[in-house]
Amino acid sequence: MTDVLPERLSSSHLEDLALIVLSARTDTSNINLYPEMRSDVRARLRSRLKQLGRYNFPASLTEDKALRRGYTLRQCCRLTVALLLIDAHLPASLAVTLASNNELGFLRAMADRLARGIGIAMPNDLVAVIMTGELQDAFAVPAWLATEPARVRFVRRDEIGRLWTDDLTGSGARLVVDVATATGALWAWISARRLMTDLARTALIAEIEYEEGAGCMAFEGEKKRG
C-alpha cells in the first residue's frame, strides 16, 4: 500500500495566510477570502516570512524533501504561531525557539479549535500564556534554551482573569497569544478557498492526538492533559 501524500499550501499563498491569521476575528463565518494589501503591508509580511525562513522555519528541506511543493497544514500551524509571536514584538529567534520547543502544546490548542471547524470563539478555547518575566535572560544570553515548562502555558479563554493566581506563578507580565482565533481564521480561509480538503484537517487532529509530549495545563478543577 502506498502512503497518501499530505496536501500542501503553495508558497504563493503565504503572505495572504500571514494577513489572515494576524487580523483574525473571533467569528470566522464571514472571513475575507481575498484580502487586499497595500504594497508596504505585503512587503512587511514578506520580510517576516523571510526572517523565519532563515531559521528553517516552519521546516527545512532536510526535514521535508517535498517542501518545494508547498506547506502541510501542520507547517501552516507552526508558521501561524511564529507569526503571532513576532507580531507581539518577540525577536524572530525567540519566536522560533518558543514555537519549536512548545510545538505540541501549541498544536493541541490549535487542534481543539480545528475540531470545531468554522464558527465563533468559545469560552473553552485555549490561549497561550507566555511568562515574560521568565524570558529576561533570553535577551541577554543568545544561547538560551526555552525548555522550562513554566514559560509557556495553555489556559482556557474564560480563565484569562486568573493569570496571576498560584497556578501561574512567576514574576513579570504575561503575554497572551490567541492561537485558537488565529487557527479558526486559518482553516476558514483554507477551506473556503478550497486550498485543502477536510481530510487535511481531520488527519492533523488525529496526528496530534496520538503524539506524546507536554500537554495543556488547566486551572484547578479542569482536566489536565499530557
Side-chain angles (χ1 to χ4, degrees):
M1 181 181 295
T2 58
D3 292 334
V4 177
L5 295 177
E7 298 176 50
R8 292 179 181 268
L9 181 76
S10 168
S11 60
S12 63
H13 293 296
L14 290 187
E15 290 157 22
D16 284 353
L17 178 154
L19 183 64
I20 290 292
V21 300
L22 293 178
S23 59
R25 297 291 183 267
T26 53
D27 185 356
T28 62
S29 60
N30 191 27
I31 196 167
N32 182 4
L33 300 180
Y34 299 91
E36 296 183 3
M37 281 182 269
R38 300 194 314 268
S39 59
D40 59 322
V41 174
R42 189 172 292 277
R44 284 200 299 271
L45 294 176
R46 187 181 301 121
S47 176
R48 291 186 185 184
L49 292 166
K50 286 182 177 178
Q51 262 189 310
L52 293 171
R54 294 189 193 104
Y55 293 95
N56 291 321
F57 199 87
S60 68
L61 283 169
T62 302
E63 299 167 337
D64 181 3
K65 307 226 180 265
L67 190 62
R68 286 194 178 94
R69 295 198 297 107
Y71 296 82
T72 65
L73 183 56
R74 181 176 186 136
Q75 290 164 354
C76 290
C77 288
R78 296 184 74 205
L79 184 60
T80 294
V81 172
L83 287 168
L84 291 172
L85 294 176
I86 291 176
D87 197 55
H89 302 288
L90 294 183
S93 59
L94 181 54
V96 168
T97 301
L98 286 169
S100 298
N101 289 354
N102 299 278
E103 178 175 353
L104 188 56
F106 280 114
L107 287 176
R108 279 180 169 167
M110 299 172 96
D112 286 349
R113 182 63 185 84
L114 283 172
R116 292 210 320 274
I118 298 172
I120 62 173
M122 300 294 287
N124 60 345
D125 283 343
L126 294 172
V127 298
V129 181
I130 300 171
M131 319 298 283
T132 55
E134 304 293 331
L135 299 179
Q136 294 175 0
D137 55 341
F139 298 95
V141 183
W144 173 76
L145 296 177
T147 55
E148 292 80 350
R151 285 179 170 150
V152 180
R153 300 289 186 91
F154 298 89
V155 302
R156 288 167 46 117
R157 183 189 301 280
D158 57 4
E159 298 285 3
I160 289 178
R162 300 176 60 191
L163 297 186
W164 276 265
T165 66
D166 291 339
D167 294 319
L168 288 174
T169 56
S171 61
R174 275 83 164 123
L175 172 62
V176 178
V177 182
D178 192 354
V179 291
T181 292
T183 305
L186 172 68
W187 182 250
W189 172 71
I190 286 177
S191 60
R193 288 280 306 272
R194 299 182 180 179
L195 300 172
M196 293 182 185
T197 69
D198 200 56
L199 288 175
R201 180 182 70 91
T202 55
L204 178 58
I205 293 171
E207 180 182 331
I208 294 168
E209 285 179 349
Y210 286 99
E211 286 189 9
E212 297 178 355
C216 299
M217 170 270 185
F219 288 110
E220 184 178 355
E222 297 290 342
K223 182 180 179 180
K224 293 185 179 180
R225 301 168 54 185

